Amino acid sequence: MEGMKRPKIGLFSAIMLALNSLIGSGWLFGSGSAAKIAGPAAILSWILGAVIIIAIALTYVELGAMFPESGGMSRYAQYSHGSLLGFVAAWANWISLVTLVPMEAVAAVQYMSSWPWSWANWTKNFIKDGNITFAGLGVFTMINFWSVKIMTHFTNLISIFKILLPTLTIVVLICSGFHAQNFGSNVHEFMPYGTRSIFEATSVSGIIMSYDAFQTVINMGGELKNPRKNIVRGVLISMIITAAIYIMLQVTFIGAVEPSMLAKVGWHGIDFTSPFADLAIILGINWLVILLYLDAFVSPFGTGVAFVATASRALAAMTHTRHLPKWLGRLNQKYLIPRYAMIADLILAVILVSLFRNWNLLATVITASTLIAYLTGPVTVMTLRKVKPNLDRPFKPRYMPYLAPIAFILTSLSIYWSMWPTTIQVILVIALGLPIYFYYEIHYQHSNLKEQLRSCWWMIVYLIFMSIMSYVGSDGFGGQNWIKYPFDFVVIAVASLGFYYWGIKTGLRKIDLYIEKDSKK
């Protein structure tokens, strides 16, 4: 397999692929959901989400430029802390990637269920009380299958469409009816539900999830032209473009809502099934309505296609550590894709949608599992600097020793914002992967489990700590309010700093020699 020549992807295609992943259903639902939670202050939630993810992304950009390989984000933690922590991080990352695929299909089904035309009344059966029905589940399954079959041929075209339509929506809605008074004339009106709602919206309304796909470029590192430079450029350029689009969409949504509607129900009462399409209907912009309903297929389809590829590569990458069956990572001879991994992902996607049947719940599950996987990035990047300072680092910012602990603290706070009981549910799903790991480790690897546990205890204790904090924390985040807001934030920040330094201290004393070799290619 190593001898097979793979086609290389240029910087433009890498950016288009990243934008294809980043601009998905988040723009169709995120603005409406965030405004309902935080009012006009939702703008700050999008800015905060961008800051958090860019901080995390920079730690992974350094790692990705060092080790440009397919499915790389599923392997970095293993390099610094051994296979047990590597498996935990890879498993959590894979869970988040697999969940993204059904969430995008659910978004398409949810928009379809709100079609306003009389001939399309039958589509209303796809969603009931905000949850996807069995009929909708059938449509979802077909969407997943056909989107991969058809839309992989039009990735660049889809990406351009996905950038142009949100931009067009911003311009048209601002020109058609922008109500500056909706933003309020004082701090209380701008922030009607207090500062806490800003943090809640960041995780619960899918904001962090919407920025998550920066890893698409990193996971495709082995297939990029000039990867050591293009990974850095691809991630940063795509993230900046995406943040600008999402923030402006939130501004547009807040300004487009009718003041008379706000006066009746307030921001908590704004409940659109298809937020931007519903606003366009109210304003009578029928051509935009049609385009938005079209994009409700194109955006989720395009993102689903990108994440089918990313999730299958992440699963295939886990087979290299020999903790999953080898056949899952087997590449198709003709297309050079891990087809068995794709099939496994599709089966799990259907199961996930059967359990979590609405967009917001799926978005929260993705956010929590993604952030748990990302925790290892700041620790890994600084551990490798400590253990192997002479490794070739094409991207080595001087500020990383300061940025890494801040990124770790922000990630911990974001996990907490996912709210009880979602936090414990996601942690338990991640824990389900451990029996698989130990089975393969005991039967086939015969390695030093004591050494692996030594390097992983910080993560195990951390997850227990976060579960407890989520339960005893403030009621605004689903807890028992034993530790009130904002003191819960202080406790998490201080404890996280301790876990961060514990993680660095327990890194491997010596990394694998083949990693050094790979980093000098």
Side-chain angles (χ1 to χ4, degrees), residues 21 71 97 215-216 219-220 305-315:
S21 305
L97 292 172
Q215 63 173 289
T216 302
N219 278 329
M220 302 288 281
V305 167
F307 273 99
V308 163
T310 306
S312 62
R313 282 173 173 82
L315 182 60

Side-chain angles (χ1 to χ4, degrees), residues 134-205:
F134 282 105
L137 195 60
V139 175
F140 145 80
T141 305
M142 288 188 288
I143 286 173
N144 264 285
F145 178 76
W146 287 108
S147 65
V148 176
K149 293 281 287 183
I150 297 170
M151 301 240 173
T152 43
H153 302 293
F154 306 104
T155 300
N156 285 356
L157 185 63
I158 293 168
S159 301
I160 293 168
F161 180 78
K162 288 170 70 173
I163 295 169
L164 288 178
L165 189 56
T167 305
L168 180 65
T169 301
I170 290 166
V171 173
V172 171
L173 290 182
I174 287 177
C175 293
S176 298
F178 190 81
H179 310 287
Q181 64 266 40
N182 289 355
F183 294 86
S185 56
N186 54 55
V187 174
H188 175 70
E189 290 178 356
F190 178 75
M191 208 178 292
Y193 308 116
T195 55
R196 188 173 63 187
S197 64
I198 297 170
F199 307 116
E200 181 186 340
T202 304
S203 284
V204 175
S205 61

Side-chain angles (χ1 to χ4, degrees), residues 422-443:
T422 304
T423 43
I424 187 67
Q425 289 170 343
V426 171
I427 288 170
L428 288 173
V429 169
I430 291 168
L432 288 175
L434 292 176
I436 300 172
Y437 172 86
F438 286 117
Y439 173 81
Y440 277 89
E441 190 67 21
I442 293 167
H443 281 75

